[in-house]
Each structure stands twice: as structure tokens, then as C-alpha cells.
Amino acid sequence: MQNLFFKTELSLILALCIGFIGLSTIITVLFVSPKSKSLLERYEGLVAPFFSLPAVLFSLTAALLATSVWDNYSVATRAIKTESQSIMTVISLANSAPYLRDSNLSASAKVYIKSIIEDEWKTLASGRSNSPITNEKFIVMRSEIFKAVNIQPDKAESKALLNEFYAINTARETRQAYASFDLHPVRWYAILFLAVLVLISVAFSHSTKPKALMVAMSIATLTVLTPLCILALTFSSPYQGLISISHAPYLQIIK
């Protein structure tokens, strides 16, 4: 997001709306105004199907860009689900294994989850990867897990507990790694350029009919703005903005 000179998604969306609505208005005025219309009418021989090429390329580029962005969301979502499920397994093992019932393993796991919800989710939403408070709770939980495993290392429960910890650790690092990501600005500039070509092609396709031109330009502007604005809402982080990942899987653990 910082590579596009915008600090928030809403500022980027506002700039997109103002820019494309203004551009659409300018193009419409140029094709309707008698002075400029006479200069543009010399290109009237271009057939409408030729102008479908920018629309196709715009759709393809938007789809590829959206796939790349949503893949980041999918990875972060899977990490959250994996971490929460593994912690639920740890709590279940701590409550079911006789030699683990007197340990603080279950309590430390719930304290860690509570810290994720109350502390670390705020730092993730602000673009930072972790919270020092949550990191301390994680270290305490890790110590309790290793302590429990060392009591009877040959037990099946101990081996399962250790495997679940490795899953938690990997999922936690993945979740933190995706707190912020940036797509290369060239990809964003490419889709903006294609969106401009779509508006120009629509204008040339309706150059002889002013009323049809106005309607077509309005529809085309709204059409290109819809995917652009949706993409703009997903550029900074999967943990912030109107389209953000929920911490609901963690809430199920501390109910």
C-alpha cells in the first residue's frame, strides 16, 4: 500500500472513484462537444468488437491480481484454523491424560488464546507482526508443553502433544508473516491502464450517439470501479479493513 502513496484503503478507493468518474466525464465531454467531436469522428470506422480487447485484458488481469491477493488471505485463514485446532487438541490432551490433569497446560493455552484476541490481534491489524505480551504467553505455554512431554516422553499422548506444538508454532509464524504484504505496484498500474483503455474503447464504440454514450460510460465506469475498489480493500493486510479475517476460531476455545 505504501508503494502506491496511500496510507489507507479508503483513501485509495476515494482516489479511484474521483479519478475514474472525472476521467469518464472528461471523455464524455470530448465526444459530445461539437469542437472535439469533429476531430474524433474520423476514427468512426473502427468496429466495436475491436474495442472488446481492452475489456478482456482488464478482466483477465483483475482475475489474476485477485487470485494472488486472495491466496494471501487463504494462507492466513488456514494458519488461524490450524493454530486454533491444534490448541484445542492440546487442551483436550491436557484434560484427558491422567498425568497431565494437574499441570497448568490447559490454563496456559487458554491464557495464550485470550492474549491473541485481546493483544496480538490489535498489533496484526496495525501492520506489526506480533505482540510482546502474547509472545510471553506463548513462551509460558511452550514451557508447559515441554514440561508435560518430559514427564513421560514415551507416552502416545506426549508424542501427540509435541506434534501439536510444532503445528501451533508453524501456524503462529505463518499468521504473523502475513500481517502485512505488498503486491508489486507495476501490477496495479497495469490494471489501472487497462481500465482507462476500457473507458476509451466504450467512448469510441458509441461516438455517434451522445445519449447512448453517456449511459455506456456510466455503466463502464461503475463496472471497472467495482473490482478495483474490492482489490483496494485487500491490499494492506488480511487483518484490517472492511474485508478482514475474523478471530472467531479462537473465541470457541475460551468460551
Side-chain angles (χ1 to χ4, degrees):
M1 180 65 68
Q2 61 267 25
N3 292 334
L4 296 175
F5 309 104
F6 293 96
K7 294 183 178 181
T8 64
E9 290 89 350
L10 293 180
S11 62
L12 176 57
I13 291 174
L14 182 61
L16 287 171
C17 292
I18 293 175
F20 276 94
I21 292 174
L23 178 62
S24 177
T25 303
I26 292 172
I27 293 175
T28 303
V29 170
L30 288 175
F31 277 82
V32 173
S33 176
K35 295 182 180 179
S36 56
K37 184 178 180 181
S38 60
L39 297 175
L40 297 171
E41 283 181 348
R42 67 183 65 180
Y43 302 104
E44 187 177 345
L46 294 175
V47 294
F50 174 78
F51 294 109
S52 63
L53 179 60
V56 173
L57 291 177
F58 172 80
S59 301
L60 179 60
T61 305
L64 292 174
L65 188 58
T67 300
S68 179
V69 170
W70 284 109
D71 183 62
N72 294 325
Y73 273 71
S74 298
V75 172
T77 301
R78 286 196 300 269
I80 291 171
K81 290 181 179 180
T82 299
E83 185 178 24
S84 60
Q85 290 171 356
S86 295
I87 290 178
M88 289 180 67
T89 303
V90 167
I91 294 174
S92 177
L93 289 171
N95 294 332
S96 60
Y99 70 97
L100 295 177
R101 290 175 182 173
D102 295 332
S103 66
N104 294 324
L105 182 54
S106 178
S108 64
K110 291 182 178 180
V111 169
Y112 168 64
I113 289 297
K114 187 176 181 181
S115 182
I116 291 177
I117 298 171
E118 297 179 354
D119 301 313
E120 192 159 64
W121 213 257
K122 297 177 183 178
T123 63
L124 291 173
S126 63
R128 292 181 288 133
S129 62
N130 60 4
S131 164
I133 298 175
T134 306
N135 191 54
E136 292 178 2
K137 307 300 181 184
F138 174 75
I139 293 174
V140 172
M141 182 188 70
R142 182 181 63 187
S143 299
E144 291 295 332
I145 291 176
F146 287 159
K147 187 186 300 183
V149 170
N150 290 331
I151 293 176
Q152 296 188 31
D154 295 331
K155 285 281 187 178
E157 291 86 350
S158 297
K159 295 179 180 179
L161 197 60
L162 194 59
N163 290 333
E164 293 301 331
F165 168 74
Y166 291 143
I168 293 170
N169 188 57
T170 301
R172 170 179 165 78
E173 291 177 352
T174 302
R175 171 172 58 81
Q176 292 176 345
Y178 280 79
S180 178
F181 52 80
D182 283 309
L183 296 174
H184 200 283
V186 171
R187 301 177 68 180
W188 182 244
Y189 298 145
I191 194 173
L192 292 178
F193 176 69
L194 289 172
V196 173
L197 290 183
V198 169
L199 297 183
I200 295 174
S201 66
V202 169
F204 273 106
S205 300
H206 300 81
S207 59
T208 58
K209 299 178 180 179
K211 292 185 178 179
L213 171 63
M214 294 178 186
V215 175
M217 288 298 291
S218 300
I219 295 175
T221 302
L222 292 175
T223 301
V224 298
L225 277 176
T226 300
L228 290 177
C229 291
I230 293 176
L231 286 172
L233 286 173
T234 61
F235 262 17
S236 291
S237 168
Y239 305 109
Q240 61 179 281
L242 296 177
I243 303 178
S244 60
I245 298 175
S246 172
H247 54 50
Y250 297 117
L251 294 174
Q252 304 298 321
I253 301 175
I254 59 176
K255 278 186 176 181

